[in-house]
Amino acid sequence: QVQLVESGGGLVQAGGSLRLSCAASGRTFRTYAMGWFRQAPGKDREIVGSMTGSGRATYLTAPVKGRFTISSDNAKNTVFLQMNSLKPEDTATYYCAAAEANPSAVKIRVSDYAYWGQGTQVTVSS
């Protein structure tokens, strides 16, 4: 079992930045692939990015490449999503998720993930 708690959401103007944090507790952090997803009203939940348990590889979906970065602090069992150059279309509830996986596996499907945080709202005004 792993518990996830997101923080760092809020209201920001277009072009601004936010950093989301996901604090994980429970089993060893390195045994899980970590993902960030988002869900806008009326839309399906979609991948934003993910990181392998080893932290050596990351994936970012095309709309956020060059603007968002995923990183981790293994000592604090925390994963971060740095979001720069935010756009109104980035407005959504953002979720952190964990998937049991080998250390080199990148997981990008919602169905890959068994553990989810409660979500944090990100609103980007134009």
Side-chain angles (χ1 to χ4, degrees), residues 15-125:
S17 298
L18 284 173
R19 188 173 82 155
L20 305 184
S21 300
C22 173
S25 60
R27 291 183 62 185
T28 305
F29 189 61
R30 288 179 180 267
T31 64
Y32 290 85
M34 301 299 295
W36 285 100
F37 292 79
R38 65 186 181 187
Q39 188 167 20
K43 294 188 176 181
D44 292 336
R45 192 168 297 189
E46 62 177 7
I47 183 76
V48 176
S50 63
M51 171 180 279
T52 59
S54 68
R56 293 176 181 164
T58 59
Y59 165 87
L60 289 166
T61 192
V64 307
K65 274 186 179 178
R67 300 189 297 123
F68 291 11
T69 305
I70 294 178
S71 62
S72 66
D73 183 338
N74 288 341
K76 296 182 178 179
N77 279 357
T78 300
V79 177
F80 304 100
L81 180 67
Q82 178 67 44
M83 306 186 294
N84 299 326
S85 301
L86 282 161
K87 304 176 180 180
E89 52 263 44
D90 294 318
T91 295
T93 301
Y94 283 70
Y95 297 90
C96 173
E100 294 192 49
N102 69 56
S104 62
V106 174
K107 301 289 186 179
I108 64 172
R109 299 177 302 178
V110 171
S111 60
D112 289 333
Y113 289 83
Y115 305 101
W116 294 84
Q118 81 286 357
T120 186
Q121 179 66 36
V122 171
T123 303
V124 184
S125 64

